[in-house]
Amino acid sequence: MTAERPNPPTTTTPPPTEPVAALGTATAAGADRSPLPPPPPPPPVFSPNATVVVDQVSKSFGSLVAVSDVSFSVEPGVTALLGPNGAGKSTLLRVLCGLTPPSAGAVTVAGGNPRVDAAARAQIGLVPQQDGVFERDSLYDFVHLAAVLTGVADPDQAVRRALASVELDPALDRPLGAFSKGMRQRAKIAAALVHDPSVLVLDEPLNGLDPRQRRQMITLFHRLGEEGRTVLVSSHVLDEVERFGSRVLVIAKGRLAAQGDFRAIRALMNDQPLTYRIGCSDPRAAAAELLREGVVGSCNITGPRLVEITTTDAAAFRRRLPAICSAGSIRLEELHPLDADLESVFRYLVGP
């Protein structure tokens, strides 16, 4: 196990409106995107207000390098960890929570090393990507066990408060195994919140939630951030990350590919077309109007009620689509981002 480093240097993080830091490729539109040798890593820049510091962390499993020389710091508020499936997000979060030791580098959370410092570990609430529930337990018993194991003074009150925050009824008496995926996700979030942690780590927490539940949980994450907690939430879906907040860490192939303000990262991708599938009652009419307004680059009718479009301005497209459907009496049934895994985005940022 790597020994914990002393306090990190206290240089100031660039303000979020400055250009995003991206590694390994040119960022100008039309530039040569062939893979380049990675530049030497810049010296770590840590915020003096950081509650989470990851300093040159690597994690290997035999010959497989899952995380490679990653450094960043996270302040109170909501920070999104964005990356495609298999990028190393879950491994990095496990290291950050002290569940597995880094092969190199050091992690500091709430002033201590969570691997060996019980006080630091007690400040972390973790929502793992895996279900991680006892399927025969009731909802109340599952969250109550988390309260007892974390030493909460009044477990019953803490359980009811945590369940209220995720809009679940503590009186539900059917076993967790009979819950929907979305309800189990919310039960996990309640269990992570029950001991009132200062650092909340959520690995793909919106998987399985319906649109209303997603809005509720995103609102909850923002409220927790506004209360002064550090909320680090991972996702592979670009549209989700845009709603989490402006601060984004981008990880791909185990490396930190970019970090900074979400708008700056989107600016790196302005010439990268994103693809959406639209389900509606009249796809030809919707496609014709989207093309006429210039918010999409191409349309392809793929079924009686389906059309796929590409756009380089996803925000404008999402604003105009409901208005176009309403004006043309078109029933909008589905909107699904086909680039949700962001592979095209990450190929742009770090090369093939």
Side-chain angles (χ1 to χ4, degrees), residues 57-75:
V57 163
S58 296
K59 179 64 181 180
S60 301
F61 299 94
S63 61
L64 173 65
V65 180
V67 177
S68 178
D69 196 25
V70 171
S71 294
F72 61 83
S73 63
V74 181
E75 298 180 359

Side-chain angles (χ1 to χ4, degrees), residues 21-26 33-42 54 56-60 64-72 80-93 235 248-259 265 345-352:
L23 309 178
T25 58
R33 306 229 177 111
S34 58
L36 301 174
V54 175
Q56 296 181 304
V57 163
S58 296
K59 179 64 181 180
S60 301
L64 173 65
V65 180
V67 177
S68 178
D69 196 25
V70 171
S71 294
F72 61 83
L81 179 65
L82 176 64
N85 290 322
K89 302 189 302 296
S90 294
T91 299
L92 180 59
L93 294 182
S235 178
V248 179
L249 303 164
V250 181
I251 187 169
K253 299 180 181 178
R255 293 177 51 227
L256 189 66
Q259 61 178 313
I265 291 175
V345 170
F346 289 104
R347 282 196 298 271
Y348 177 60
L349 286 175
V350 299

Side-chain angles (χ1 to χ4, degrees), residues 159-184:
V159 169
R160 294 181 183 280
R161 182 177 61 246
L163 289 174
S165 70
V166 297
E167 299 189 353
L168 286 175
D169 184 354
L172 287 171
D173 59 357
R174 66 181 186 270
L176 288 172
F179 281 23
S180 67
K181 171 70 172 176
M183 291 179 70
R184 291 198 301 272

